[in-house]
Amino acid sequence: MFWTAVASSTVSSAASDPSAALASAAPTYQQLHTKPPRTTHNSWQHSNAAFKARRHEQQQQQHKQQKREQQQQIEKLQEEESKRLEDNQQQKQKLVNNKKKMAVKSESKILKAFKACKCAQNEV
């Protein structure tokens, strides 16, 4: 008798309002066996994106460091080259000055020797 009363109330309520009958009924098979959404996929994506962002930032920092080092090397080479050029200029100037000094001394010695020569004295 109990079961007939439960069955008749379920049938009568299902006929009048189907949503009310479903609400009072047990969960369906599909509801029981549906897997919850995977949150690990999203966390993996976030982790992967964070890794890629860090790697990209590290690569940019390495490129900046390499550019700085190259610039420092270029500046060092330019300084060395300018020193070399300056040293060459100074050496050239010294050579020119020495040649002038030598020329003046040589000319005076040659003139003295020429004047001292008996052949030159006869012709003059």
Side-chain angles (χ1 to χ4, degrees):
M1 181 156 171
F2 172 75
W3 291 110
T4 55
V6 171
S8 66
S9 69
T10 306
V11 170
S12 65
S13 66
S16 64
D17 187 16
S19 61
L22 290 176
S24 65
T28 63
Y29 178 83
Q30 189 177 16
Q31 290 171 337
L32 287 174
H33 296 286
T34 302
K35 293 182 180 179
R38 292 183 61 185
T39 57
T40 57
H41 183 69
N42 285 339
S43 65
W44 178 84
Q45 284 178 336
H46 293 301
S47 175
N48 191 30
F51 170 77
K52 286 182 179 181
R54 281 193 308 270
R55 187 176 65 183
H56 181 69
E57 185 178 335
Q58 287 174 349
Q59 287 174 346
Q60 284 182 334
Q61 288 176 352
Q62 286 176 347
H63 288 299
K64 287 179 183 179
Q65 181 66 26
Q66 288 174 349
K67 285 183 180 181
R68 272 185 253 142
E69 289 174 358
Q70 287 175 350
Q71 187 63 30
Q72 288 173 351
Q73 288 177 349
I74 289 171
E75 289 173 0
K76 185 178 178 181
L77 290 173
Q78 287 175 343
E79 286 178 18
E80 289 175 357
E81 184 66 23
S82 66
K83 281 183 180 181
R84 231 181 269 128
L85 289 173
E86 188 177 318
D87 290 343
N88 285 345
Q89 284 295 102
Q90 288 176 355
Q91 287 177 355
K92 285 180 184 178
Q93 189 63 35
K94 285 180 183 178
L95 285 175
V96 168
N97 290 341
N98 287 341
K99 284 182 181 179
K100 286 181 182 177
K101 289 178 185 177
M102 291 174 70
V104 171
K105 289 180 183 177
S106 299
E107 286 177 9
S108 63
K109 287 182 182 179
I110 292 172
L111 286 174
K112 286 180 185 177
F114 186 70
K115 290 179 183 176
C117 179
K118 292 183 181 179
C119 305
Q121 290 176 354
N122 293 337
E123 291 178 12
V124 179

